[in-house]
């Protein structure tokens, strides 16, 4: 009788082996989600430290998105199973996997949506008729920095109509000092200071992929006033996803706080 009673207790006790088996599913979902996040985070870091080409980094972002989507679906299934089994650990793991997977999928999707909203250009200038020319940086880049032409100018005009030559209310010498101070405040690497020519050349490095973008600033006299133009050009890629336009706006806001008037 004592043996039979012991067997009855075993029948009503949790099946630890079964519960451990069902825990494999949410654990696998969580592991896949972690892999997706690691791919996403390493995509830009690896490119920045020259472990691989930036196009490989883009491929990693794409892979992270697909894996993230698959993991999100897997986490939903494992979560539903864990809820039905009343498996608390499985529920928590599935929730963690879902959150990580959604991040790995959602961030690349957001970037792709943003990229499609911008024109496929990467050379932006406040003067479309006579863009400021690079001198020092053009020599360093060997191939030079040629302006793409009227087609790009038309796309820029449509996408960023606010970017125009800025009139500064002081002579060129004073305007140059203000422009140089703003350049330093931006944290760019100044390549050349050419006050006699009214030019400043600099390079900025993007935070995620470490792309090098070049900037030239030109100050021209206009009586007792000055004309300020800025040009920002990416070294890599076709579309800059609006980076150069944002950079120019940020710079102009330092030179002319408040409203920037053409």
């Amino acid at each position: 009788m004592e043996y039979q009673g012991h067997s009855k207790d075993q029948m009503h006790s949790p099946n630890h082996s079964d519960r451990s088996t069902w825990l494999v599913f949410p654990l696998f979902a969580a592991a896949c989600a972690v892999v997706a996040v690691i791919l996403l985070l390493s995509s830009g870091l690896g490119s920045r430290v020259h472990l691989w080409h930036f196009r490989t980094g883009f491929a990693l972002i794409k892979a992270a998105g697909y894996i993230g989507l698959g993991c999100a679906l897997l986490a939903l299934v494992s979560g539903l199973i864990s809820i039905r089994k009343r498996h608390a650990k499985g529920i928590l793991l599935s929730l963690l996997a879902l959150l990580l997977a959604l991040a790995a999928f959602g961030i690349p999707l957001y970037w792709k949506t943003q990229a499609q909203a911008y024109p496929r250009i990467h050379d932006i200038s406040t003067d479309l008729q006579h863009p400021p020319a690079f001198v020092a940086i053009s020599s360093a880049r060997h191939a030079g920095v040629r302006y793409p032409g009227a087609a790009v100018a038309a796309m820029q005009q449509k996408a960023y109509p606010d970017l125009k030559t800025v009139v500064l209310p002081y002579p060129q010498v004073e305007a140059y000092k203000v422009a140089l101070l703003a350049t330093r405040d931006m944290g760019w690497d100044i390549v050349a200071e050419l006050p006699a020519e009214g030019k400043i050349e600099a390079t900025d490095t993007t935070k995620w992929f470490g792309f090098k973008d070049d900037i030239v600033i030109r100050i021209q006299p206009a009586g007792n006033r000055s004309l300020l133009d800025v040009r920002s050009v990416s070294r890599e890629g076709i579309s800059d996803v609006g980076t150069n336009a944002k950079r120019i706006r940020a710079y102009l806001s330092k030179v002319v706080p408040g409203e920037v008037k053409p």
Side-chain angles (χ1 to χ4, degrees):
M1 293 293 292
E2 183 179 351
Y3 176 79
Q4 290 178 349
H6 180 69
S7 298
K8 187 176 181 181
D9 289 339
Q10 280 188 324
M11 291 174 62
H12 290 282
S13 64
N15 191 327
H16 295 290
S17 177
D18 182 62
R19 293 173 71 86
S20 298
T21 300
W22 283 112
L23 191 60
V24 172
F25 203 25
L27 276 172
F28 181 71
C32 289
V34 169
V35 169
V37 171
I38 290 174
L39 287 177
L40 182 62
L41 294 176
S42 64
S43 61
L45 178 62
S47 298
R48 190 180 182 92
V49 298
H50 309 294
L51 287 178
W52 48 67
H53 193 268
F54 74 89
R55 296 191 186 280
T56 301
F58 289 167
L60 291 177
I61 292 175
K62 188 176 182 179
Y66 282 122
I67 295 173
L69 177 60
C71 287
L73 297 175
L74 188 62
L76 284 173
V77 173
S78 69
L80 291 174
I81 294 174
S82 297
I83 291 173
R84 289 186 60 184
K85 294 290 183 179
R86 297 182 180 180
H87 198 318
K89 290 183 179 180
I91 294 172
L92 290 175
L93 280 171
S94 297
L95 180 59
L96 175 63
L98 181 61
L99 293 175
L100 291 175
L102 288 177
F105 171 69
I107 293 175
L109 179 63
Y110 172 76
W111 285 344
K112 182 178 180 180
T113 304
Q114 287 291 101
Q116 292 174 342
Y118 291 99
R120 292 172 63 81
I121 55 177
H122 64 268
D123 192 334
I124 307 298
S125 174
T126 55
D127 186 346
L128 297 176
Q129 298 299 318
H130 304 285
F134 290 91
V135 179
I137 288 177
S138 186
S139 300
R141 287 175 59 163
H142 303 297
V145 190
R146 296 181 180 179
Y147 188 70
V152 168
M155 285 190 283
Q156 180 192 315
Q157 182 62 34
K158 183 178 180 181
Y160 316 117
D162 59 305
L163 296 182
K164 300 178 181 178
T165 300
V166 174
V167 179
L168 299 178
Y170 21 78
Q172 184 187 27
V173 174
E174 185 178 349
Y176 186 88
K177 293 178 181 178
V178 172
L180 181 59
L181 181 61
T183 303
R184 290 171 178 165
D185 287 344
M186 291 295 292
W188 301 337
D189 295 323
I190 297 178
V191 177
E193 298 179 23
L194 307 168
E197 300 178 24
K199 281 188 177 181
I200 304 167
E201 296 185 42
T203 298
D204 187 23
T205 303
T206 62
K207 295 179 180 179
W208 186 245
F209 270 81
F211 290 135
K212 299 290 183 180
D213 297 344
D214 298 314
I215 308 104
V216 56
I217 299 153
R218 181 181 66 197
I219 301 96
Q220 296 176 300
N224 292 327
R225 301 185 298 174
S226 300
L227 304 178
L228 171 67
D229 283 296
V230 185
R231 181 181 172 194
S232 183
V233 186
S234 301
R235 294 188 186 182
E236 304 287 354
I238 298 174
S239 172
D240 64 3
V241 198
T243 300
N244 289 300
K246 292 174 184 176
R247 181 181 291 114
I248 291 175
R249 289 194 190 105
Y251 176 77
L252 293 179
S253 68
K254 287 187 176 293
V255 177
V256 186
E259 184 179 0
V260 178
K261 298 181 179 180

